[in-house]
C-alpha cells in the first residue's frame, strides 16, 4: 500500500468504436453557420473537429470532408473553444444527387473546392 495513493496505469476509454486519425480538411454546416474545420479523428460513431475559429455550434450540424466528398450528419456532444466532439450517424456521399437535407452541405462542399 502506498502512502500517496496510486493512479490506474490505463484510463478506460468510454468510446465503443476505435478512433482513427483523419487530419482532413472539412466544413461544418448548419442553418446560418458555415465554418472551416480540421477533422482530427474519426470513428464509426463519432469524430473530433478543430474549428478554424471559435464559433458556438448548434446542436445539429453536418460535417463535410472536402477531399472525400462525404457529409456526416452529426450531433454536437461537447465543445471547448475551437474543438468539438460529435456523434455522427453515417457518411453520405455528396457526389451525384444528394438528399434534400444535404443540399446545403453539397453547396458548401462545392464552395470549398470539391469536385
Amino acid at each position: 500500500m502506498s502512502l500517496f495513493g496510486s493512479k490506474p496505469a490505463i484510463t478506460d476509454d468510454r468510446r465503443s468504436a476505435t478512433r482513427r486519425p483523419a487530419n482532413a480538411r472539412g466544413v461544418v454546416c448548419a442553418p446560418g453557420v458555415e465554418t472551416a474545420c480540421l477533422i482530427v479523428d474519426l470513428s464509426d460513431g463519432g469524430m473530433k473537429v478543430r474549428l478554424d475559429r471559435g464559433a458556438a455550434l448548434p446542436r445539429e450540424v453536418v460535417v463535410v470532408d472536402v477531399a472525400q466528398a462525404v457529409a456526416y450528419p452529426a450531433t454536437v456532444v461537447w465543445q471547448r473553444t475551437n474543438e468539438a466532439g460529435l456523434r455522427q450517424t453515417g457518411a453520405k456521399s455528396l457526389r451525384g444527387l444528394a438528399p434534400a437535407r444535404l443540399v446545403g452541405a453539397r453547396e458548401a462542399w462545392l464552395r470549398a473546392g470539391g469536385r
Side-chain angles (χ1 to χ4, degrees):
M1 183 169 160
S2 171
L3 294 174
F4 302 105
S6 63
K7 292 184 180 178
I10 300 173
T11 58
D12 291 332
D13 191 351
R14 295 178 292 180
R15 293 168 188 85
S16 60
T18 305
R19 293 179 289 170
R20 301 175 304 280
N23 201 28
R25 186 169 67 103
V27 179
V28 177
C29 306
V33 176
E34 186 175 311
T35 187
C37 73
L38 178 69
I39 302 170
V40 177
D41 65 41
L42 185 62
S43 71
D44 291 338
M47 66 178 64
K48 179 179 172 183
V49 297
R50 187 169 299 127
L51 303 171
D52 188 38
R53 55 184 174 209
L57 296 177
R59 182 165 168 74
E60 301 296 323
V61 297
V62 176
V63 179
V64 176
D65 183 328
V66 176
Q68 298 298 319
V70 172
Y72 296 95
T75 302
V76 176
V77 177
W78 60 266
Q79 184 175 3
R80 289 182 207 102
T81 60
N82 66 335
E83 290 190 332
L86 300 99
R87 183 176 300 119
Q88 54 102 353
T89 58
K92 312 286 188 233
S93 177
L94 293 174
R95 290 194 169 94
L97 295 175
R101 69 182 186 283
L102 296 178
V103 168
R106 187 170 196 287
E107 291 171 355
W109 170 66
L110 291 171
R111 281 191 295 276
R115 297 283 172 236

